[in-house]
Amino acid sequence: MMSEEYWSAFYNRYPSIFSFINIRKEKRGGFIFNPYLYTEKWLNEIEYQVLEIMDGCRSVLEIIFFISEFYGINQNDAKKIVINALKEISSYHAITFSDKPKLKKSTNNLDIKKDINLGSDYYSAPLSVLWDLTYRCNMQCKHCLIGDPTSHIELDFNDIKKILLELKRMKVFSINFSGGEPLLREDILDVLRSASDLNFGVRLSTNGLLLDQDYLKTLRDLEVYCLQISLDGIGNTHDNFRGVRGAFEKSVESLRTASDMGFYTTMSTMIIKENVSEIGDILDLAVSLGVSSFKLNSFMPIGRGRSCKNDLAITKQESRNLAAELILKKKQYHDKINIQIDALFPWLLNSKNISETVMVKGLIPRKQLKCSAGNTTLVISPTGTVYPCPYLTEFPIGNILESSLYDIWNDNDGILGKFRKMEQGMLKGKCSNCRFVPKFCNGGCRAAAFIVNGDFYGEDPFCWKD
Protein backbone atom coordinates (compact mmCIF):
# COMPACT_ATOMS: atom_id res chain seq x y z
CA MET A 1 0.00 0.00 0.00
CA MET A 2 1.37 3.41 -1.00
CA SER A 3 2.00 5.87 1.88
CA GLU A 4 0.22 9.22 2.25
CA GLU A 5 3.55 10.91 1.55
CA TYR A 6 3.69 9.13 -1.79
CA TRP A 7 0.23 10.30 -2.81
CA SER A 8 0.94 13.91 -1.80
CA ALA A 9 4.20 14.12 -3.77
CA PHE A 10 3.28 13.20 -7.30
CA TYR A 11 1.11 16.06 -8.60
CA ASN A 12 3.46 16.61 -11.53
CA ARG A 13 3.44 12.97 -12.62
CA TYR A 14 1.35 11.65 -15.51
CA PRO A 15 -0.99 8.70 -14.87
CA SER A 16 -2.22 6.43 -17.65
CA ILE A 17 -4.17 3.19 -17.87
CA PHE A 18 -2.38 -0.07 -18.62
CA SER A 19 -3.17 -1.28 -22.13
CA PHE A 20 -4.76 -4.50 -20.87
CA ILE A 21 -7.36 -2.66 -18.79
CA ASN A 22 -10.91 -2.40 -20.14
CA ILE A 23 -13.36 0.32 -19.15
CA ARG A 24 -17.04 0.83 -19.89
CA LYS A 25 -19.24 3.84 -19.24
CA GLU A 26 -22.63 3.34 -17.64
CA LYS A 27 -25.33 5.49 -16.15
CA ARG A 28 -24.06 7.16 -12.95
CA GLY A 29 -20.52 5.83 -13.40
CA GLY A 30 -18.87 2.90 -15.12
CA PHE A 31 -16.81 -0.25 -14.83
CA ILE A 32 -13.10 -0.94 -14.93
CA PHE A 33 -11.94 -4.47 -15.65
CA ASN A 34 -8.54 -6.09 -15.10
CA PRO A 35 -8.56 -9.48 -16.89
CA TYR A 36 -5.84 -10.75 -14.57
CA LEU A 37 -8.11 -10.22 -11.56
CA TYR A 38 -11.24 -11.45 -13.41
CA THR A 39 -13.78 -9.43 -11.40
CA GLU A 40 -14.84 -5.98 -12.56
CA LYS A 41 -14.81 -2.89 -10.33
CA TRP A 42 -17.53 -0.22 -10.22
CA LEU A 43 -16.53 3.46 -10.23
CA ASN A 44 -18.87 6.33 -9.44
CA GLU A 45 -19.40 9.16 -11.90
CA ILE A 46 -16.46 11.34 -10.78
CA GLU A 47 -14.09 8.39 -10.38
CA TYR A 48 -14.96 7.28 -13.88
CA GLN A 49 -14.41 10.80 -15.21
CA VAL A 50 -10.92 10.78 -13.66
CA LEU A 51 -10.27 7.44 -15.33
CA GLU A 52 -11.45 8.66 -18.73
CA ILE A 53 -9.13 11.68 -18.85
CA MET A 54 -6.15 9.79 -17.41
CA ASP A 55 -4.36 9.46 -20.77
CA GLY A 56 -0.71 10.01 -19.83
CA CYS A 57 -0.80 13.54 -21.27
CA ARG A 58 -2.36 15.23 -18.24
CA SER A 59 -0.58 15.52 -14.90
CA VAL A 60 -2.35 14.76 -11.64
CA LEU A 61 -2.52 18.50 -11.00
CA GLU A 62 -4.16 19.10 -14.39
CA ILE A 63 -6.71 16.36 -13.65
CA ILE A 64 -7.52 18.06 -10.33
CA PHE A 65 -8.06 21.41 -12.11
CA PHE A 66 -10.28 19.70 -14.70
CA ILE A 67 -12.47 17.97 -12.07
CA SER A 68 -12.73 21.23 -10.11
CA GLU A 69 -13.99 23.19 -13.12
CA PHE A 70 -16.10 20.42 -14.67
CA TYR A 71 -18.09 19.74 -11.48
CA GLY A 72 -17.91 23.26 -10.04
CA ILE A 73 -16.19 22.27 -6.78
CA ASN A 74 -13.30 23.96 -4.99
CA GLN A 75 -9.80 22.70 -5.65
CA ASN A 76 -9.23 21.29 -2.16
CA ASP A 77 -12.29 19.08 -2.50
CA ALA A 78 -11.30 18.18 -6.06
CA LYS A 79 -7.84 17.24 -4.81
CA LYS A 80 -9.27 14.82 -2.22
CA ILE A 81 -11.64 13.29 -4.78
CA VAL A 82 -8.94 12.77 -7.43
CA ILE A 83 -6.39 11.36 -4.98
CA ASN A 84 -8.96 8.93 -3.56
CA ALA A 85 -9.96 7.91 -7.09
CA LEU A 86 -6.33 7.30 -8.03
CA LYS A 87 -5.86 5.22 -4.88
CA GLU A 88 -8.88 3.08 -5.77
CA ILE A 89 -7.80 2.59 -9.37
CA SER A 90 -4.18 1.96 -8.40
CA SER A 91 -5.22 -0.68 -5.86
CA TYR A 92 -6.88 -2.48 -8.77
CA HIS A 93 -3.48 -2.58 -10.56
CA ALA A 94 -4.86 -0.54 -13.45
CA ILE A 95 -2.59 2.51 -13.82
CA THR A 96 1.04 3.49 -14.15
CA PHE A 97 2.75 6.85 -13.61
CA SER A 98 5.37 8.60 -15.72
CA ASP A 99 7.59 11.63 -15.03
CA LYS A 100 7.00 12.93 -18.56
CA PRO A 101 3.80 13.29 -20.61
CA LYS A 102 3.10 11.10 -23.58
CA LEU A 103 3.63 12.75 -26.96
CA LYS A 104 0.21 11.68 -28.14
CA LYS A 105 -3.02 11.05 -26.32
CA SER A 106 -3.65 7.33 -25.85
CA THR A 107 -6.95 5.88 -27.06
CA ASN A 108 -6.52 2.42 -25.54
CA ASN A 109 -9.89 1.19 -24.29
CA LEU A 110 -11.31 4.74 -24.28
CA ASP A 111 -13.39 4.54 -27.44
CA ILE A 112 -16.73 4.46 -25.65
CA LYS A 113 -19.43 3.62 -28.18
CA LYS A 114 -21.96 6.33 -28.95
CA ASP A 115 -24.88 3.95 -29.22
CA ILE A 116 -24.82 2.47 -25.73
CA ASN A 117 -28.07 2.94 -23.85
CA LEU A 118 -26.96 5.14 -20.95
CA GLY A 119 -30.49 6.35 -20.33
CA SER A 120 -31.73 2.90 -19.33
CA ASP A 121 -31.95 1.30 -15.90
CA TYR A 122 -29.88 -1.69 -16.97
CA TYR A 123 -26.27 -1.98 -18.06
CA SER A 124 -25.29 -1.24 -21.65
CA ALA A 125 -24.09 -4.84 -22.12
CA PRO A 126 -23.61 -8.01 -20.08
CA LEU A 127 -20.66 -7.96 -17.70
CA SER A 128 -20.00 -11.61 -18.46
CA VAL A 129 -21.17 -14.37 -20.78
CA LEU A 130 -21.51 -18.09 -20.15
CA TRP A 131 -20.65 -19.77 -23.45
CA ASP A 132 -21.40 -23.46 -23.93
CA LEU A 133 -19.01 -24.36 -26.75
CA THR A 134 -20.30 -27.91 -27.12
CA TYR A 135 -22.92 -30.22 -25.66
CA ARG A 136 -20.67 -33.24 -26.18
CA CYS A 137 -19.41 -34.76 -22.93
CA ASN A 138 -17.29 -37.64 -21.66
CA MET A 139 -19.50 -38.17 -18.61
CA GLN A 140 -23.05 -39.43 -18.02
CA CYS A 141 -24.20 -37.13 -15.24
CA LYS A 142 -27.60 -37.84 -13.73
CA HIS A 143 -28.51 -34.16 -13.57
CA CYS A 144 -27.31 -33.09 -17.05
CA LEU A 145 -29.26 -30.14 -18.45
CA ILE A 146 -28.89 -31.49 -21.99
CA GLY A 147 -31.18 -34.21 -23.25
CA ASP A 148 -29.47 -35.51 -26.40
CA PRO A 149 -26.08 -33.83 -27.00
CA THR A 150 -25.59 -35.55 -30.36
CA SER A 151 -28.56 -33.65 -31.83
CA HIS A 152 -26.83 -30.26 -31.68
CA ILE A 153 -24.50 -28.79 -34.26
CA GLU A 154 -21.66 -26.53 -33.16
CA LEU A 155 -20.34 -23.18 -34.29
CA ASP A 156 -17.12 -23.40 -36.30
CA PHE A 157 -14.01 -21.49 -35.31
CA ASN A 158 -14.61 -18.66 -37.79
CA ASP A 159 -18.06 -18.00 -36.33
CA ILE A 160 -16.63 -18.12 -32.83
CA LYS A 161 -14.08 -15.45 -33.77
CA LYS A 162 -16.87 -13.26 -35.17
CA ILE A 163 -18.83 -13.60 -31.95
CA LEU A 164 -15.76 -12.80 -29.85
CA LEU A 165 -15.33 -9.57 -31.81
CA GLU A 166 -19.01 -8.77 -31.26
CA LEU A 167 -18.62 -9.32 -27.51
CA LYS A 168 -15.53 -7.13 -27.52
CA ARG A 169 -17.31 -4.36 -29.41
CA MET A 170 -20.00 -4.34 -26.72
CA LYS A 171 -17.30 -4.30 -24.02
CA VAL A 172 -18.28 -7.56 -22.36
CA PHE A 173 -15.58 -8.17 -19.76
CA SER A 174 -15.35 -11.91 -19.15
CA ILE A 175 -16.34 -15.23 -20.69
CA ASN A 176 -16.91 -18.54 -18.94
CA PHE A 177 -16.35 -21.28 -21.53
CA SER A 178 -18.35 -24.36 -20.61
CA GLY A 179 -20.34 -27.23 -22.08
CA GLY A 180 -20.88 -30.19 -22.14
CA GLU A 181 -17.16 -30.66 -21.78
CA PRO A 182 -15.42 -27.79 -23.62
CA LEU A 183 -12.09 -29.62 -23.80
CA LEU A 184 -13.64 -32.08 -26.26
CA ARG A 185 -13.53 -29.41 -28.95
CA GLU A 186 -10.47 -29.95 -31.09
CA ASP A 187 -9.99 -26.19 -31.47
CA ILE A 188 -10.51 -25.31 -27.80
CA LEU A 189 -6.97 -23.96 -27.38
CA ASP A 190 -7.44 -21.74 -30.44
CA VAL A 191 -10.71 -20.44 -28.97
CA LEU A 192 -9.08 -19.69 -25.62
CA ARG A 193 -6.11 -18.03 -27.32
CA SER A 194 -8.41 -15.78 -29.36
CA ALA A 195 -10.37 -14.76 -26.27
CA SER A 196 -7.19 -14.08 -24.33
CA ASP A 197 -5.71 -12.03 -27.19
CA LEU A 198 -8.83 -9.85 -27.09
CA ASN A 199 -8.23 -9.22 -23.40
CA PHE A 200 -11.27 -10.99 -22.01
CA GLY A 201 -11.17 -12.44 -18.56
CA VAL A 202 -11.26 -16.15 -19.39
CA ARG A 203 -12.76 -18.83 -17.15
CA LEU A 204 -12.91 -22.50 -18.10
CA SER A 205 -15.51 -24.83 -16.59
CA THR A 206 -14.58 -28.48 -16.97
CA ASN A 207 -15.05 -31.87 -15.32
CA GLY A 208 -11.27 -32.20 -15.10
CA LEU A 209 -10.97 -35.60 -16.79
CA LEU A 210 -8.78 -34.33 -19.65
CA LEU A 211 -6.52 -32.09 -17.60
CA ASP A 212 -2.93 -32.95 -16.76
CA GLN A 213 0.09 -30.87 -15.81
CA ASP A 214 1.16 -30.24 -19.41
CA TYR A 215 -2.34 -29.15 -20.41
CA LEU A 216 -2.54 -26.87 -17.40
CA LYS A 217 0.79 -25.27 -18.34
CA THR A 218 -0.62 -24.57 -21.81
CA LEU A 219 -3.72 -22.99 -20.28
CA ARG A 220 -1.57 -20.84 -18.03
CA ASP A 221 0.47 -19.68 -21.03
CA LEU A 222 -2.82 -18.70 -22.70
CA GLU A 223 -3.62 -16.58 -19.61
CA VAL A 224 -6.56 -18.72 -18.55
CA TYR A 225 -6.35 -18.04 -14.84
CA CYS A 226 -9.75 -19.26 -13.60
CA LEU A 227 -10.69 -22.93 -13.63
CA GLN A 228 -13.97 -24.35 -12.36
CA ILE A 229 -13.96 -28.11 -11.81
CA SER A 230 -16.96 -30.14 -10.68
CA LEU A 231 -16.80 -32.44 -7.68
CA ASP A 232 -20.06 -33.82 -6.32
CA GLY A 233 -19.13 -36.30 -3.63
CA ILE A 234 -16.43 -38.31 -1.94
CA GLY A 235 -15.16 -41.36 -3.82
CA ASN A 236 -17.92 -43.51 -5.29
CA THR A 237 -20.58 -40.86 -4.63
CA HIS A 238 -19.00 -38.62 -7.26
CA ASP A 239 -18.28 -41.50 -9.65
CA ASN A 240 -21.85 -42.81 -9.47
CA PHE A 241 -23.37 -39.39 -9.96
CA ARG A 242 -21.10 -38.57 -12.90
CA GLY A 243 -21.27 -42.04 -14.45
CA VAL A 244 -17.49 -42.54 -14.79
CA ARG A 245 -15.36 -44.80 -12.62
CA GLY A 246 -12.25 -43.01 -11.34
CA ALA A 247 -13.72 -39.55 -11.96
CA PHE A 248 -13.33 -38.56 -8.30
CA GLU A 249 -9.60 -39.23 -8.21
CA LYS A 250 -9.09 -37.36 -11.49
CA SER A 251 -11.09 -34.33 -10.36
CA VAL A 252 -9.14 -34.19 -7.10
CA GLU A 253 -5.84 -34.46 -8.95
CA SER A 254 -6.84 -31.70 -11.38
CA LEU A 255 -7.94 -29.37 -8.59
CA ARG A 256 -4.78 -29.95 -6.58
CA THR A 257 -2.44 -29.47 -9.54
CA ALA A 258 -4.23 -26.39 -10.83
CA SER A 259 -4.25 -24.79 -7.36
CA ASP A 260 -0.54 -25.54 -6.91
CA MET A 261 0.18 -23.93 -10.29
CA GLY A 262 -1.44 -20.65 -9.26
CA PHE A 263 -4.83 -20.89 -10.99
CA TYR A 264 -7.85 -19.39 -9.28
CA THR A 265 -9.76 -22.64 -8.78
CA THR A 266 -13.43 -23.15 -8.02
CA MET A 267 -14.84 -26.46 -6.84
CA SER A 268 -18.44 -26.61 -8.04
CA THR A 269 -20.75 -29.00 -6.17
CA MET A 270 -24.33 -29.91 -7.00
CA ILE A 271 -26.52 -30.48 -3.93
CA ILE A 272 -28.27 -33.86 -4.25
CA LYS A 273 -29.71 -36.47 -1.92
CA GLU A 274 -26.70 -38.74 -2.48
CA ASN A 275 -24.15 -36.18 -1.26
CA VAL A 276 -26.03 -33.97 1.21
CA SER A 277 -24.40 -35.73 4.16
CA GLU A 278 -20.95 -35.33 2.56
CA ILE A 279 -21.01 -31.62 1.74
CA GLY A 280 -19.03 -30.71 4.86
CA ASP A 281 -16.39 -33.31 3.97
CA ILE A 282 -16.28 -32.06 0.37
CA LEU A 283 -15.59 -28.54 1.66
CA ASP A 284 -12.86 -29.86 3.96
CA LEU A 285 -11.32 -31.55 0.94
CA ALA A 286 -11.47 -28.32 -1.07
CA VAL A 287 -9.53 -26.51 1.66
CA SER A 288 -6.92 -29.28 1.84
CA LEU A 289 -6.41 -29.02 -1.95
CA GLY A 290 -5.80 -25.26 -1.79
CA VAL A 291 -8.92 -24.48 -3.80
CA SER A 292 -9.75 -20.76 -4.04
CA SER A 293 -13.54 -20.96 -4.05
CA PHE A 294 -16.27 -23.46 -3.16
CA LYS A 295 -19.64 -23.04 -4.90
CA LEU A 296 -22.85 -24.92 -4.18
CA ASN A 297 -25.54 -25.29 -6.85
CA SER A 298 -29.17 -26.33 -6.51
CA PHE A 299 -30.34 -29.34 -8.51
CA MET A 300 -32.73 -28.31 -11.29
CA PRO A 301 -35.11 -31.02 -12.59
CA ILE A 302 -34.58 -30.42 -16.30
CA GLY A 303 -32.86 -32.33 -19.07
CA ARG A 304 -31.70 -35.74 -17.90
CA GLY A 305 -32.48 -34.75 -14.31
CA ARG A 306 -36.22 -34.54 -14.99
CA SER A 307 -36.63 -38.33 -14.95
CA CYS A 308 -34.84 -38.82 -11.62
CA LYS A 309 -35.82 -35.72 -9.69
CA ASN A 310 -37.36 -37.72 -6.86
CA ASP A 311 -34.04 -39.53 -6.35
CA LEU A 312 -31.88 -36.40 -6.47
CA ALA A 313 -33.80 -33.52 -4.88
CA ILE A 314 -33.19 -32.89 -1.18
CA THR A 315 -35.90 -31.92 1.32
CA LYS A 316 -36.33 -28.43 2.72
CA GLN A 317 -35.30 -29.67 6.16
CA GLU A 318 -32.09 -31.08 4.69
CA SER A 319 -31.48 -27.73 3.03
CA ARG A 320 -31.96 -25.90 6.32
CA ASN A 321 -29.66 -28.27 8.20
CA LEU A 322 -26.99 -27.92 5.52
CA ALA A 323 -27.22 -24.13 5.66
CA ALA A 324 -26.63 -24.22 9.42
CA GLU A 325 -23.66 -26.55 9.00
CA LEU A 326 -22.01 -24.45 6.30
CA ILE A 327 -22.48 -21.15 8.14
CA LEU A 328 -20.22 -22.63 10.81
CA LYS A 329 -17.82 -23.84 8.11
CA LYS A 330 -17.66 -20.33 6.66
CA LYS A 331 -16.55 -19.00 10.03
CA GLN A 332 -14.01 -21.79 10.36
CA TYR A 333 -12.49 -21.24 6.92
CA HIS A 334 -13.13 -17.51 6.41
CA ASP A 335 -9.44 -16.81 5.72
CA LYS A 336 -8.77 -19.92 3.62
CA ILE A 337 -11.45 -20.17 0.93
CA ASN A 338 -14.35 -18.22 -0.57
CA ILE A 339 -17.51 -20.21 0.24
CA GLN A 340 -20.64 -19.50 -1.83
CA ILE A 341 -23.76 -20.94 -0.20
CA ASP A 342 -26.54 -18.57 -1.32
CA ALA A 343 -28.31 -21.57 -2.88
CA LEU A 344 -29.16 -22.60 0.71
CA PHE A 345 -30.74 -19.25 1.73
CA PRO A 346 -28.37 -18.86 4.72
CA TRP A 347 -29.79 -15.43 5.63
CA LEU A 348 -32.92 -17.16 6.91
CA LEU A 349 -30.84 -18.27 9.91
CA ASN A 350 -29.59 -14.75 10.63
CA SER A 351 -32.85 -12.86 11.20
CA LYS A 352 -31.40 -11.19 14.34
CA ASN A 353 -29.05 -9.22 12.09
CA ILE A 354 -31.90 -7.64 10.14
CA SER A 355 -32.91 -4.16 11.22
CA GLU A 356 -36.37 -3.65 12.70
CA THR A 357 -37.17 -1.27 9.83
CA VAL A 358 -36.73 -4.02 7.28
CA MET A 359 -38.64 -6.56 9.38
CA VAL A 360 -41.77 -4.44 9.85
CA LYS A 361 -44.37 -5.56 7.34
CA GLY A 362 -45.19 -2.90 4.80
CA LEU A 363 -41.88 -1.04 5.11
CA ILE A 364 -39.90 -3.26 2.75
CA PRO A 365 -38.55 -1.17 -0.14
CA ARG A 366 -40.36 -2.17 -3.36
CA LYS A 367 -37.46 -1.78 -5.75
CA GLN A 368 -36.58 -3.92 -8.73
CA LEU A 369 -35.17 -7.39 -8.18
CA LYS A 370 -31.75 -7.84 -9.75
CA CYS A 371 -31.40 -11.39 -11.00
CA SER A 372 -28.22 -11.74 -13.05
CA ALA A 373 -30.30 -12.79 -16.08
CA GLY A 374 -30.94 -9.74 -18.20
CA ASN A 375 -28.90 -7.54 -15.90
CA THR A 376 -25.32 -8.83 -15.86
CA THR A 377 -25.14 -12.08 -17.85
CA LEU A 378 -26.29 -13.99 -20.94
CA VAL A 379 -25.80 -17.56 -22.14
CA ILE A 380 -24.61 -18.52 -25.63
CA SER A 381 -25.30 -22.06 -26.81
CA PRO A 382 -23.11 -24.15 -29.16
CA THR A 383 -25.33 -23.04 -32.06
CA GLY A 384 -25.15 -19.32 -31.23
CA THR A 385 -28.65 -19.18 -29.74
CA VAL A 386 -28.77 -16.82 -26.77
CA TYR A 387 -30.64 -17.49 -23.52
CA PRO A 388 -31.18 -15.42 -20.37
CA CYS A 389 -29.77 -18.16 -18.13
CA PRO A 390 -28.68 -21.83 -18.41
CA TYR A 391 -32.01 -23.10 -17.06
CA LEU A 392 -34.38 -21.07 -19.21
CA THR A 393 -33.71 -22.65 -22.59
CA GLU A 394 -37.44 -22.49 -23.32
CA PHE A 395 -36.95 -18.75 -23.76
CA PRO A 396 -34.45 -18.19 -26.59
CA ILE A 397 -33.90 -14.47 -27.20
CA GLY A 398 -32.12 -14.59 -30.56
CA ASN A 399 -29.09 -15.96 -32.34
CA ILE A 400 -25.92 -13.92 -32.19
CA LEU A 401 -25.01 -14.86 -35.77
CA GLU A 402 -28.33 -13.46 -37.02
CA SER A 403 -28.82 -10.46 -34.71
CA SER A 404 -26.34 -8.15 -33.06
CA LEU A 405 -25.69 -8.53 -29.36
CA TYR A 406 -26.79 -4.90 -29.01
CA ASP A 407 -30.26 -5.69 -30.44
CA ILE A 408 -30.59 -8.90 -28.42
CA TRP A 409 -29.57 -7.20 -25.17
CA ASN A 410 -31.85 -4.18 -25.66
CA ASP A 411 -35.00 -6.13 -26.59
CA ASN A 412 -37.23 -5.44 -23.59
CA ASP A 413 -40.42 -6.88 -25.08
CA GLY A 414 -39.54 -10.44 -24.08
CA ILE A 415 -38.14 -12.21 -21.06
CA LEU A 416 -35.22 -9.81 -20.52
CA GLY A 417 -37.75 -7.04 -20.01
CA LYS A 418 -39.53 -9.19 -17.43
CA PHE A 419 -36.33 -9.62 -15.45
CA ARG A 420 -35.50 -5.92 -15.62
CA LYS A 421 -38.94 -4.72 -14.55
CA MET A 422 -39.60 -7.34 -11.89
CA GLU A 423 -40.49 -6.13 -8.40
CA GLN A 424 -41.34 -8.06 -5.27
CA GLY A 425 -45.02 -7.16 -5.53
CA MET A 426 -45.23 -9.13 -8.78
CA LEU A 427 -44.19 -12.37 -7.06
CA LYS A 428 -46.60 -14.90 -5.61
CA GLY A 429 -46.68 -17.02 -2.48
CA LYS A 430 -44.27 -16.42 0.37
CA CYS A 431 -41.82 -14.54 -1.89
CA SER A 432 -44.35 -11.72 -2.37
CA ASN A 433 -44.09 -10.39 1.18
CA CYS A 434 -40.91 -11.94 2.54
CA ARG A 435 -38.95 -9.49 4.69
CA PHE A 436 -35.66 -10.79 3.30
CA VAL A 437 -36.52 -9.47 -0.18
CA PRO A 438 -34.83 -7.58 -1.74
CA LYS A 439 -32.13 -6.71 0.78
CA PHE A 440 -30.87 -10.27 1.27
CA CYS A 441 -32.67 -12.26 -1.39
CA ASN A 442 -33.54 -11.37 -4.97
CA GLY A 443 -36.88 -13.07 -4.69
CA GLY A 444 -35.42 -16.51 -5.19
CA CYS A 445 -34.78 -18.13 -8.56
CA ARG A 446 -37.35 -17.40 -11.27
CA ALA A 447 -36.04 -20.29 -13.35
CA ALA A 448 -36.70 -22.69 -10.46
CA ALA A 449 -40.22 -21.31 -10.03
CA PHE A 450 -40.96 -21.83 -13.72
CA ILE A 451 -39.34 -25.28 -13.98
CA VAL A 452 -40.95 -26.76 -10.87
CA ASN A 453 -44.31 -24.95 -10.76
CA GLY A 454 -44.76 -23.67 -14.31
CA ASP A 455 -45.14 -20.11 -13.00
CA PHE A 456 -42.45 -17.53 -13.72
CA TYR A 457 -43.68 -15.38 -10.81
CA GLY A 458 -44.33 -18.23 -8.36
CA GLU A 459 -42.47 -18.70 -5.12
CA ASP A 460 -39.04 -20.32 -5.18
CA PRO A 461 -39.61 -24.05 -4.55
CA PHE A 462 -36.17 -24.49 -3.00
CA CYS A 463 -36.60 -21.89 -0.26
CA TRP A 464 -37.03 -23.70 3.06
CA LYS A 465 -38.69 -20.77 4.86
CA ASP A 466 -42.06 -21.76 6.35
Side-chain angles (χ1 to χ4, degrees):
M1 183 65 69
M2 305 297 186
S3 66
E4 290 299 324
E5 291 78 10
Y6 172 88
W7 290 107
S8 62
F10 74 142
Y11 295 111
N12 292 319
R13 303 195 74 195
Y14 297 83
S16 60
I17 308 171
F18 284 121
S19 60
F20 56 81
I21 296 294
N22 298 306
I23 71 173
R24 196 175 89 193
K25 189 172 182 62
E26 298 288 351
K27 190 176 182 180
R28 293 182 289 274
F31 287 101
I32 182 172
F33 180 73
N34 184 337
Y36 300 103
L37 300 179
Y38 198 77
T39 55
E40 65 280 340
K41 184 179 182 67
W42 172 260
L43 301 176
N44 65 35
E45 182 179 347
I46 299 181
E47 290 171 336
Y48 190 86
Q49 184 68 64
V50 171
L51 182 76
E52 238 185 346
I53 63 175
M54 198 166 52
D55 57 5
C57 298
R58 300 177 179 90
S59 68
V60 174
L61 194 59
E62 289 172 319
I63 294 175
I64 292 172
F65 289 154
F66 176 90
I67 293 298
S68 175
E69 292 191 12
F70 189 85
Y71 288 99
I73 55 181
N74 66 61
Q75 290 188 10
N76 284 333
D77 289 339
K79 172 184 171 183
K80 294 176 183 178
I81 291 171
V82 170
I83 296 302
N84 286 333
L86 290 174
K87 286 181 180 179
E88 280 291 304
I89 299 167
S90 182
S91 69
Y92 192 64
H93 307 288
I95 56 176
T96 183
F97 293 91
S98 175
D99 293 326
K100 296 181 180 180
K102 292 183 178 180
L103 297 178
K104 185 178 180 181
K105 182 177 179 180
S106 170
T107 57
N108 281 345
N109 297 310
L110 295 176
D111 54 334
I112 304 300
K113 298 194 301 84
K114 295 180 180 179
D115 61 345
I116 60 176
N117 191 0
L118 295 182
S120 66
D121 291 325
Y122 56 94
Y123 295 141
S124 61
L127 301 179
S128 63
V129 164
L130 172 64
W131 193 340
D132 292 328
L133 291 172
T134 180
Y135 285 148
R136 289 178 287 153
C137 192
N138 48 2
M139 284 187 164
Q140 291 292 322
C141 305
K142 295 180 179 179
H143 73 300
C144 182
L145 306 183
I146 312 305
D148 179 14
T150 60
S151 66
H152 297 275
I153 60 174
E154 297 171 6
L155 298 166
D156 63 30
F157 182 54
N158 288 329
D159 286 334
I160 288 175
K161 289 194 292 185
K162 291 177 184 177
I163 295 173
L164 286 172
L165 290 173
E166 173 79 353
L167 298 178
K168 187 65 178 178
R169 188 187 75 84
M170 286 290 288
K171 295 186 178 290
V172 172
F173 293 135
S174 57
I175 304 174
N176 182 356
F177 291 108
S178 185
E181 173 50 54
L183 298 188
L184 288 178
R185 279 196 65 124
E186 294 77 7
D187 57 1
I188 181 62
L189 295 180
D190 294 325
V191 173
L192 297 175
R193 181 179 293 106
S194 296
S196 180
D197 288 345
L198 288 171
N199 232 18
F200 289 106
V202 180
R203 180 188 295 267
L204 183 63
S205 295
T206 172
N207 57 39
L209 289 187
L210 300 178
L211 291 177
D212 56 28
Q213 192 165 32
D214 289 338
Y215 206 114
L216 287 168
K217 286 179 179 177
T218 301
L219 294 178
R220 189 173 60 184
D221 291 342
L222 293 176
E223 299 181 346
V224 177
Y225 292 109
C226 299
L227 283 177
Q228 177 173 299
I229 298 175
S230 302
L231 196 142
D232 300 297
I234 303 296
N236 287 333
T237 302
H238 178 76
D239 291 0
N240 292 337
F241 183 59
R242 293 282 171 172
V244 175
R245 182 176 298 178
F248 171 76
E249 293 182 0
K250 185 58 184 174
S251 294
V252 168
E253 176 190 344
S254 296
L255 281 164
R256 178 187 289 111
T257 304
S259 299
D260 289 345
M261 292 177 65
F263 286 89
Y264 185 95
T265 49
T266 296
M267 179 188 289
S268 178
T269 300
M270 181 70 61
I271 309 169
I272 55 172
K273 189 174 292 292
E274 295 174 39
N275 71 7
V276 67
S277 63
E278 299 179 358
I279 297 291
D281 294 332
I282 297 172
L283 176 54
D284 293 338
L285 175 61
V287 174
S288 72
L289 297 175
V291 168
S292 311
S293 179
F294 176 75
K295 182 174 74 172
L296 284 176
N297 301 299
S298 297
F299 161 71
M300 291 284 192
I302 57 176
R304 196 177 293 153
R306 186 178 288 114
S307 62
C308 52
K309 60 183 179 181
N310 293 333
D311 297 326
L312 297 180
I314 66 172
T315 66
K316 293 185 177 182
Q317 185 60 47
E318 287 173 322
S319 181
R320 186 190 189 284
N321 294 343
L322 185 57
E325 177 186 0
L326 291 187
I327 285 175
L328 297 177
K329 288 284 188 181
K330 285 195 72 167
K331 295 178 180 178
Q332 177 184 352
Y333 291 134
H334 73 278
D335 59 343
K336 296 183 182 298
I337 189 172
N338 174 31
I339 302 175
Q340 304 172 48
I341 59 171
D342 282 0
L344 295 171
F345 304 87
W347 46 83
L348 298 179
L349 293 170
N350 291 321
S351 58
K352 292 182 180 179
N353 297 330
I354 302 177
S355 68
E356 291 297 320
T357 301
V358 175
M359 291 180 67
V360 176
K361 187 175 182 180
L363 295 182
I364 305 173
R366 298 285 176 173
K367 54 187 178 181
Q368 291 177 345
L369 306 175
K370 293 295 183 182
C371 175
S372 60
N375 289 292
T376 60
T377 62
L378 282 181
V379 177
I380 302 176
S381 78
T383 63
T385 301
V386 182
Y387 301 100
C389 93
Y391 305 116
L392 292 175
T393 53
E394 293 189 41
F395 297 93
I397 52 178
N399 188 291
I400 200 167
L401 291 180
E402 301 168 359
S403 304
S404 70
L405 178 62
Y406 179 85
D407 290 339
I408 292 173
W409 182 252
N410 288 290
D411 182 3
N412 286 310
D413 293 331
I415 192 168
L416 295 188
K418 287 186 177 182
F419 276 115
R420 290 163 180 163
K421 300 170 186 174
M422 190 177 299
E423 297 182 359
Q424 185 180 15
M426 299 176 180
L427 305 182
K428 302 175 183 177
K430 60 189 176 185
C431 295
S432 65
N433 58 6
C434 176
R435 66 179 186 267
F436 294 91
V437 179
K439 186 173 181 180
F440 293 87
C441 176
N442 250 329
C445 177
R446 296 300 92 213
F450 177 79
I451 291 167
V452 176
N453 300 318
D455 187 347
F456 189 71
Y457 296 99
E459 65 182 27
D460 188 322
F462 299 138
C463 176
W464 51 264
K465 178 174 178 280
D466 292 334

